[in-house]
Amino acid sequence: HNMEVKGHVLVWHVTSPPCLEDMSPDEVGSAVKRHIFTTMGYFRDRIQIWDVVNEALASDGTLVENVFYRKMGPSYIEQCFRWAHEANPRAVLIYNDNKVEGCGYGSDDNPRYRKNAPLQAKSDGFYNLLKDLVGRGVPVHGAGMQAHFSAGGVKHQRPPTPSMVKRQIRRIGELGLKVNISEMDVRVSKLPQDEALRSRAQTCIYRDILTAALSEPSFDGVWLWGFTDRHTWVKNFYYDDRPLIFSEVYERKDSYEGVKCALESISPDEAKSLVNRKYIDCDVDENGIEWGHEWMQPEPSSDDNEKDSTKQGNPDWLLPS
């Protein structure tokens, strides 16, 4: 049906074979290069967009000390992009990561903005990594922000506001890169057992986050991580949930209408757009009401100081949710 396909992903430590640990640095480098050339070569005339490296950042914004980091050094990301460009000079090459979607205002000067995004350090690390790659002439063309959101999440799992997402996209776009939302879904089972509330929260996140993203010129697409609640990775990795825009019996949910509404926000005919834009550029409206106030959960009163194992290579979607 002439559908464009994005290749995902060439280099990700979570899905790499254990045998890499037993190889020398030169052997690992040769294996990675061979993998990139073989995969991109096989799909050369069919796939022209690739996520090259995935989830190379720890929660604190520094590089994960994964097998590629230990064997090839911190420049392995740059090397992978250069190999990918050599394998197919026409391909669009993307760096992809999770929980990097929001950027805070940076200060407490304005009560209508929040100073920090839920995981500001990682968002900053994402931006700084891309800025460094661009500054050194590495052939990276875009950034993928996964957007696996939990409506009832707290701490690092709290969803960013639409204006935080807009701000992150804008500063990455100013580097000359395109930005996409690459794996979007919205979990709701951590909210109270109120189906109407869960539906409103999920619809709000899909609609408002995408509307904010689509308002930025550098934003060039969204991929949903599935389309029906019957088949979702969330049930295998987390718990029973309904994070997508079609139900288990393939019926359109309210969140489907939320996505549709967001897409209509870029229509030349403003009359067709029903989206409320008041939270695109701020976190708190003129009446002091915060985005998501109806369903956003309060932060826990105690600091659990949960162990952060992302630096050692454990993905942050395995941290307590």
Side-chain angles (χ1 to χ4, degrees):
H1 300 289
N2 296 316
M3 295 178 69
E4 194 170 38
V5 176
K6 179 174 72 168
H8 176 84
V9 55
L10 292 170
V11 178
W12 185 30
H13 61 279
V14 174
T15 55
S16 297
C19 64
L20 291 177
E21 296 286 0
D22 301 323
M23 298 167 66
S24 70
D26 287 344
E27 289 172 332
V28 171
S30 296
V32 171
K33 180 179 181 180
R34 182 171 62 251
H35 168 69
I36 290 172
F37 272 74
T38 300
T39 306
M40 294 185 71
Y42 182 80
F43 293 103
R44 187 180 179 91
D45 296 326
R46 289 172 285 172
I47 299 180
Q48 297 298 324
I49 307 172
W50 287 93
D51 289 335
V52 178
V53 178
N54 188 50
E55 296 181 5
L57 293 171
S59 293
D60 65 359
T62 62
L63 292 180
V64 172
E65 294 174 1
N66 58 40
V67 64
F68 304 114
Y69 180 96
R70 296 194 304 273
K71 297 287 186 175
M72 299 171 63
S75 64
Y76 83 89
I77 299 172
E78 172 182 346
Q79 188 60 70
C80 288
F81 274 92
R82 294 195 184 279
W83 283 332
H85 182 65
E86 186 180 349
N88 185 353
R90 294 180 298 153
V92 175
L93 307 179
I94 298 169
Y95 174 72
N96 191 60
D97 217 316
N98 186 33
K99 293 187 173 56
V100 295
E101 300 85 5
C103 176
Y105 186 65
S107 75
D108 294 319
D109 296 343
N110 192 324
R112 297 188 64 186
Y113 296 92
R114 292 292 170 253
K115 179 178 180 180
N116 293 315
L119 208 55
Q120 186 68 48
K122 190 172 184 183
S123 291
D124 288 342
F126 185 65
Y127 170 78
N128 290 329
L129 172 62
L130 292 164
K131 182 179 180 181
D132 178 65
L133 293 172
V134 170
R136 288 187 290 106
V138 177
V140 55
H141 309 120
M145 309 191 307
Q146 292 180 18
H148 292 298
F149 295 137
S150 173
V154 296
K155 301 171 73 172
H156 68 278
Q157 295 280 6
R158 182 176 291 274
T161 66
S163 72
M164 291 174 181
V165 174
K166 180 180 176 68
R167 196 173 297 113
Q168 179 75 324
I169 293 172
R170 175 170 293 180
R171 67 171 176 170
I172 294 171
E174 289 171 350
L175 298 175
L177 300 175
K178 293 294 185 181
V179 184
N180 69 81
I181 287 178
S182 58
E183 307 181 16
M184 190 173 190
D185 52 23
V186 181
R187 306 190 300 279
V188 294
S189 64
K190 292 297 182 180
L191 290 172
Q193 298 237 358
D194 179 335
E195 290 306 317
L197 176 69
R198 290 180 175 188
S199 178
R200 289 195 299 274
Q202 187 177 74
T203 301
C204 178
I205 292 173
Y206 272 114
R207 182 193 63 224
D208 294 357
I209 295 292
L210 289 179
T211 299
L214 287 162
S215 71
E216 284 298 313
S218 59
F219 185 74
D220 71 346
V222 54
W223 280 262
L224 304 187
W225 215 232
F227 73 96
T228 168
D229 292 334
R230 181 182 289 267
H231 304 292
T232 167
W233 76 290
V234 172
K235 294 180 180 179
N236 294 325
F237 283 85
Y238 282 121
Y239 32 67
D240 188 39
D241 210 307
R242 297 174 179 82
L244 298 166
I245 65 174
F246 284 86
S247 73
E248 292 186 349
V249 294
Y250 302 92
E251 292 177 340
R252 295 175 181 178
K253 295 164 56 179
D254 290 343
S255 52
Y256 171 95
E257 298 300 329
V259 172
K260 179 182 176 184
C261 188
L263 294 174
E264 288 175 345
S265 72
I266 59 174
S267 168
D269 185 356
E270 287 289 331
K272 291 182 179 179
S273 177
L274 301 176
V275 70
N276 189 336
R277 299 172 181 270
K278 69 177 179 178
Y279 288 113
I280 290 179
D281 293 305
C282 64
D283 303 322
V284 181
D285 72 9
E286 63 276 8
N287 299 313
I289 299 174
E290 211 166 344
W291 178 80
H293 68 281
E294 182 186 9
W295 44 266
M296 199 81 80
Q297 299 299 290
E299 294 288 2
S301 56
S302 61
D303 186 358
D304 297 333
N305 290 320
E306 66 222 15
K307 182 174 175 56
D308 182 358
S309 58
T310 58
K311 187 70 175 176
Q312 288 71 48
N314 290 321
D316 55 16
W317 37 265
L318 290 179
L319 292 175
S321 56

